[in-house]
């Protein structure tokens, strides 16, 4: 709820060359490229979420239903 998802991704694809962004999403970028992409995101809301994440309540993982094999 801190950022508008569709606007975020639209802006990201406008500001970063698509081939570089797709390489990032595939995990094929260098740390330097990742840093550059990260700086083109809303840094404040992203940092706030990263800081709060360890303290957020977690939902328990549901147990598999009987008769189903785990995935």
């Amino acid at each position: 709820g801190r950022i508008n998802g569709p606007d975020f991704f639209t802006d990201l694809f406008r500001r970063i060359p698509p081939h570089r962004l797709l390489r990032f999403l595939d995990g094929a970028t260098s740390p330097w490229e990742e840093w550059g992409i990260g700086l083109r995101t809303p840094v404040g809301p992203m940092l706030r979420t990263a800081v709060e994440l360890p303290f957020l309540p977690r939902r328990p993982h549901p147990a598999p239903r009987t008769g189903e094999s785990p995935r």
Side-chain angles (χ1 to χ4, degrees):
R2 293 195 173 113
I3 61 171
N4 179 298
D7 290 346
F8 167 75
F9 283 104
T10 299
D11 188 47
L12 201 58
F13 273 93
R14 276 191 196 129
R15 298 174 75 189
I16 300 170
H19 68 278
R20 183 178 302 153
L21 191 54
L22 292 174
R23 283 186 33 240
F24 170 77
L25 294 172
D26 283 340
T29 48
S30 69
W32 181 251
E33 289 174 304
E34 292 171 10
W35 181 254
I37 290 170
L39 290 176
R40 288 173 178 81
T41 64
V43 175
M46 298 282 227
L47 281 176
R48 182 176 170 192
T49 299
V51 168
E52 289 177 352
L53 193 60
F55 304 102
L56 294 176
R58 300 282 190 258
R59 291 181 291 191
H61 192 301
R65 293 185 209 160
T66 348
E68 289 185 13
S69 60
R71 294 180 192 171

